[in-house]
Amino acid sequence: MLQPGIHATEARKARHLDVCLDDDVASTLDAGWSGVRLRHEALPEIALDDVDCAARFLGFRLRAPILISSMTGGTARAAELNLRLAEAAEASGIAMGLGSGRALIENPALMHTFDVRAVAPQAVLFANIGAVSLNYGIGIDDVQRMIAELRADALFLHLNPLQEALQPGGDTNFRGLLPKIAELCAALDVPVVAKSVGSGISPVTAARLLDAGVAGIDTAAAGGTSWARVEGKRSGDDGREALAETFAGWGQPTAEAVCALRARFPSMPLIASGGVRTGVDIARAIALGADLCGLALPFLEAATISRAAVDELIGALVEGLRIAMFATGSATLAGLRRALL
Ligand SMILES: Cc1cc2nc3c(=O)[nH]c(=O)nc-3n(C[C@H](O)[C@H](O)[C@H](O)COP(=O)(O)O)c2cc1C
């Protein structure tokens, strides 16, 4: 017998996919990439073939500094999308995040919709859970079990107060979470990376999270998918949607968030995400100090078409990044970090 609420979680996840694919859910803020200028090198003194965009994150090796950001799980459609994304991540040596595992913890029969290890035995894989779930019946042992069963290498802990406040019946009690996050980080034997969902994380909050034992931060800042808009459009209520629209430009733009976090924490593992759309955006984010760059919605759109479309997207991102590196005379990502104007 399923617990009450289980079907609600699955239905919400299914609807999120439709809204993200069918509606305009772009933030009204710009991620800020156009303001980041890289030094063009007219005489690079390297060959394009010399450019190597291999990256390391949390000690894991990647062939390119790209992450398929956390999105889905919990439905038959999600299972297919996750498999396509995971196969592509495995083939191209990039990292992947699974969607929030709350539905899985509530209903273990959904394991097949999250479990991608059969097709991605080597890919760097992040499990995902909302920190606020720790105030709503999800225990540290539940998270530990989920990570073990998914054979995940790390955990994304998402922090989404705005999204919860805008969704009907959202989990809005964020009291006392920091000590629970500290307990979770101490209990797990994989690194925990804290992320937002399109609004960003300030340096002050990052410092509190790092003190609690978090290993790194994913900005998931503003300029890409707006979760205020997603929740507004999902609500089916004109008043709610109008209220959510007033938050469509909420948060810190991603380029700004990356700069602020890198300035304050020179060696913290840092992911830039939120409105990263091209290889040139990735080059700019790396030059600002990011170690890895995540994209969500573009990967959802590609995976909805086919596995080949996901491969094509990754190919275009890598090629754009490599050409930007070549045109700044940077044979490695370390070189690219010196190319900021
Ligand atoms: C369909 C969809 C589902 C998402 N589900 C989750 C989730 O379960 N957990 C999470 O941390 N973030 C989730 N996100 C947020 C993304 O991981 C990412 O932080 C955000 O969308 C910004 O990236 P983008 O501008 O490239 O889409 C989701 C995003 C999309 C598009």
Side-chain angles (χ1 to χ4, degrees):
M1 181 75 178
L2 301 178
Q3 297 157 24
I6 286 178
H7 295 304
T9 308
E10 291 170 37
R12 187 175 69 235
K13 299 310 277 181
R15 187 79 187 105
H16 279 155
L17 295 182
D18 286 331
V19 170
C20 286
L21 288 167
D22 300 340
D23 290 87
D24 178 8
V25 292
S27 167
T28 53
L29 281 184
D30 189 282
W33 304 123
S34 61
V36 182
R37 287 195 294 138
L38 302 183
R39 188 182 307 108
H40 174 72
E41 179 50 75
L43 193 60
E45 293 287 4
I46 55 172
L48 180 55
D49 281 349
D50 298 334
V51 172
D52 177 3
C53 60
R56 285 189 86 91
F57 188 72
L58 296 171
F60 299 109
R61 282 171 198 280
L62 298 166
R63 293 219 293 277
I66 300 174
L67 162 76
I68 299 172
S69 288
S70 287
M71 280 187 285
T72 201
T75 63
R77 185 171 167 208
E80 193 180 358
L81 294 169
N82 273 338
L83 287 177
R84 283 180 185 170
L85 292 168
E87 282 171 4
E90 177 81 13
S92 57
I94 66 167
M96 173 173 169
L98 295 163
S100 169
R102 183 169 175 172
L104 173 61
I105 291 171
E106 289 172 344
N107 180 6
L110 297 177
M111 187 62 185
H112 68 286
T113 70
F114 285 88
D115 184 9
V116 295
R117 274 300 185 210
V119 299
Q122 307 293 331
V124 177
L125 188 66
F126 288 76
N128 184 299
I129 195 79
V132 76
S133 320
L134 300 173
N135 275 354
Y136 288 84
I138 301 287
I140 286 170
D141 51 335
D142 292 322
V143 181
Q144 228 160 3
R145 198 175 328 109
M146 170 185 76
I147 292 168
E149 286 172 0
L150 293 172
R151 286 168 285 163
D153 298 300
L155 176 73
F156 273 130
L157 188 65
H158 70 259
L159 305 166
N160 62 342
L162 177 66
Q163 183 191 5
E164 295 290 350
L166 286 170
Q167 69 178 265
D171 294 340
T172 52
N173 174 17
F174 275 66
R175 285 190 206 111
L177 279 182
L178 199 60
K180 291 186 181 177
I181 292 173
E183 223 182 303
L184 178 70
C185 293
L188 295 182
D189 50 13
V190 299
V192 176
V193 174
K195 77 185 282 287
S196 175
V197 294
S199 304
I201 294 180
S202 71
V204 171
T205 300
R208 291 160 66 211
L209 290 162
L210 291 168
D211 280 349
V214 157
I217 298 287
D218 177 349
T219 60
T225 308
S226 157
W227 278 85
R229 299 193 84 186
V230 175
E231 292 302 344
K233 289 180 191 301
R234 186 174 72 84
S235 69
D237 169 334
D238 289 350
R240 241 319 94 185
E241 185 173 345
L243 174 67
E245 280 297 311
T246 65
F247 289 90
W250 188 264
Q252 186 179 29
T254 303
E256 224 178 272
V258 172
C259 280
L261 288 166
R262 185 47 86 219
R264 172 85 182 262
F265 306 104
S267 57
M268 172 187 75
L270 176 60
I271 304 175
S273 75
V276 174
R277 295 293 178 260
T278 68
V280 179
D281 293 346
I282 294 173
R284 287 167 163 157
I286 299 283
L288 290 180
D291 299 304
L292 186 60
C293 296
L295 298 81
L297 192 53
F299 276 115
L300 174 63
E301 289 166 344
T304 300
I305 299 168
S306 64
R307 155 77 201 281
V310 182
D311 288 343
E312 218 172 281
L313 172 59
I314 296 170
L317 292 170
V318 170
E319 204 46 22
L321 169 61
R322 291 184 70 253
I323 292 171
M325 290 171 70
F326 177 59
T328 55
S330 315
T332 63
L333 296 181
L336 182 59
R337 292 202 175 90
R338 295 188 290 272
L340 197 61
L341 262 182

